[in-house]
Amino acid sequence: MAILIDPPTWPAHGTVFAHLVSDQSLEELHDFATRAGLPEQAFDMDHYDVPAHRYDDLVARGAIVVSGRELIRRLRTSGLRIPARDRPETLRRVLSASWGSTVERWQDRPDDDVPHRGASGPAPAAVARGADLIERWAQPHRRYHDLRHLRDVLAALALLCDPDPAPLPVVLAAWFHDAVYDGVPGEDEQASADLARAELGPEALGPEALPSDRIEEVARLVLLTRAHSPEPGDDNGALLCDADLAVLARDEPGYRRYTRDVRAEYSHVPHADFINGRTAVVRHLLELEPLYRTDRGRELWQEAARANLRAELATLTSTP
């Protein structure tokens, strides 16, 4: 593990700033920063902004000087890098636009038994449902099941269905599948399905509500994410489960970040209990045959995902 710092060259507030990072863990970075007396507000998601007058002191305390290019490379390799696309303001903007497009699909399609909105745009009640969902996904206790995960599942769905749009119930199920997340498997999915029934129904949306059969399909799909085992022929279920599990095929730094974020969500669970629980989850995923139920999902992700899961299982079972 190492604390890295690049030369102070970034101008702001009448001085220039360096960046202080860890190539291993945020815990290590925060510990170093606390001992050095850096203020909490200097932390920006994956680094501390350090004014030039603190540079020599931090180097004397053990920070290793590297170039800006090397610092970014090491940070990216560690899995700790937060790119611009993953920052909250960007995610909120992208997801708000995505929700607006989704609402227009159920309000404007002539084959729906729903009033058409035409050029007037989405109804305010429907827009408000999306804003509420985004706030739920942005809750501070979430470290993996957060705005990034929602964005990634929607992107995976689009990739699976390209060049056609993903079926509307599947897209809505993606929005709701972890909308309630308290870290209680089974109960979270049920609460999320119940939320979908309430938020998409007439009490919330009035005449803009989805037909009841579509609402029930969304709720059914949400519940499938308990075990990710859709029945043969369940095309909608296969799409949602494959998109939800696309994370398993990340590259090495990305998969390391995924497992670190999962552990952070369960930071309240004792180490031994977490290892046992996570081992059971990984074994269950490895036992799924096939792991991905769509042809495109298997082509895109299955080989890499199984390799990642086997490597994680080996680490878990060797952990004291």
Side-chain angles (χ1 to χ4, degrees), residues 164-177:
D164 299 317
L168 181 60
V170 185
V171 175
L172 289 169
W175 273 91
F176 280 95
H177 80 285

Side-chain angles (χ1 to χ4, degrees), residues 181-250:
Y181 188 77
D182 294 320
V184 185
E187 294 182 19
D188 288 342
E189 290 84 355
Q190 184 63 60
S192 295
D194 292 342
L195 181 70
R197 292 187 178 100
E199 294 287 86
L200 298 175
E203 289 190 11
L205 296 179
E208 306 295 336
L210 279 179
S212 59
D213 60 334
R214 290 202 175 186
I215 295 174
E216 284 306 310
E217 173 65 357
V218 172
R220 181 189 74 83
L221 292 170
V222 169
L223 292 174
L224 277 180
T225 61
R226 283 171 166 167
H228 299 93
S229 298
E231 294 293 327
D234 183 358
D235 293 341
N236 282 352
L239 284 170
L240 179 63
C241 290
D242 280 11
D244 196 26
L245 296 179
V247 62
L248 302 176
R250 285 181 177 178

Side-chain angles (χ1 to χ4, degrees), residues 106-107 113-117 123 125 200-211:
W106 90 61
Q107 293 182 341
D113 298 324
V114 182
H116 295 193
R117 300 302 301 171
L200 298 175
E203 289 190 11
L205 296 179
E208 306 295 336
L210 279 179

